[in-house]
């Protein structure tokens, strides 16, 4: 769990073109920085920012995202939601298990950024050289869940 200031609710966000929009009415369960290969590829950056929210707090406002499934570095299956118009990945959720209680929103899809100063870091065994993790934040060589 990430400690820090509570996010101003509701959180809103969506894809790059605006066709897919969502709202989150509850505080995030956790914010984490993921250094796995998939998050690096998906974000086209050194890591991905993920915001874990309760499904009950998440509402799709507009759009009809498409899904594709992929194996995670952990060996689990992940269902990834993306906008069929612009291709932006908006969230992912556990796959193959029926409806989950959580959705992991891609941090870059939020209209207002979340505070990542105290975010936990996962898959640090795969972080790129030169990436500095703040002192005192939780970090895990792989996925702790």
């Amino acid at each position: 769990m990430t400690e820090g200031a509570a996010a101003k609710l509701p959180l809103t966000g969506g894809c790059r073109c605006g066709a897919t929009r969502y709202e989150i009415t509850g505080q995030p369960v956790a914010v984490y920085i993921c250094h796995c290969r998939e998050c690096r590829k998906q974000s086209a950056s050194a890591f991905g920012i993920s915001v874990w929210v309760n499904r009950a707090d998440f509402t799709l406002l507009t759009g009809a995202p498409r899904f594709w499934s992929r194996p995670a570095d952990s060996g689990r299956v992940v269902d990834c939601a993306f906008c069929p118009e612009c291709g932006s990945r908006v969230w992912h959720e556990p796959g193959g298990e029926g409806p989950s209680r959580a959705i992991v929103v891609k941090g870059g899809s939020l209209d207002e950024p979340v505070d990542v100063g105290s975010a936990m870091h996962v898959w640090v065994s795969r972080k790129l050289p030169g990436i500095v993790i703040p002192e005192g934040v939780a970090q895990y060589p792989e996925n702790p869940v």
Side-chain angles (χ1 to χ4, degrees), residues 35 64 81 127 135 141:
H35 300 272
K127 79 176 180 63
E135 229 178 276

Side-chain angles (χ1 to χ4, degrees), residues 117 131 135 142:
I131 298 296
E135 229 178 276
E142 296 183 352

Side-chain angles (χ1 to χ4, degrees), residues 31-116:
V31 176
Y32 60 94
I33 307 298
C34 184
H35 300 272
C36 79
R37 291 181 188 111
E38 178 62 25
C39 283
R40 292 194 331 243
K41 283 185 178 191
Q42 180 273 323
S43 67
S45 188
F47 50 79
I49 300 171
S50 295
V51 182
W52 182 9
V53 300
N54 290 313
R55 178 180 290 281
D57 297 334
F58 179 92
T59 302
L60 182 63
L61 300 174
T62 62
R66 293 190 56 202
F67 288 84
W68 65 281
S69 298
R70 65 165 183 85
D73 283 344
S74 66
R76 298 182 188 126
V77 173
V78 177
D79 291 336
C80 305
F82 67 96
C83 173
E85 301 299 319
C86 66
S88 296
R89 187 139 137 226
V90 184
W91 76 83
H92 67 264
E93 54 192 273
E97 302 170 5
S100 72
R101 295 190 329 248
I103 289 179
V104 180
V105 173
K106 304 316 293 177
S109 72
L110 289 164
D111 293 336
E112 295 295 326
V114 293
D115 179 4
V116 297

Side-chain angles (χ1 to χ4, degrees), residues 4-9 11 26-28 114:
K8 183 179 176 193
L9 298 176
L11 296 173
Q27 289 296 325
V114 293

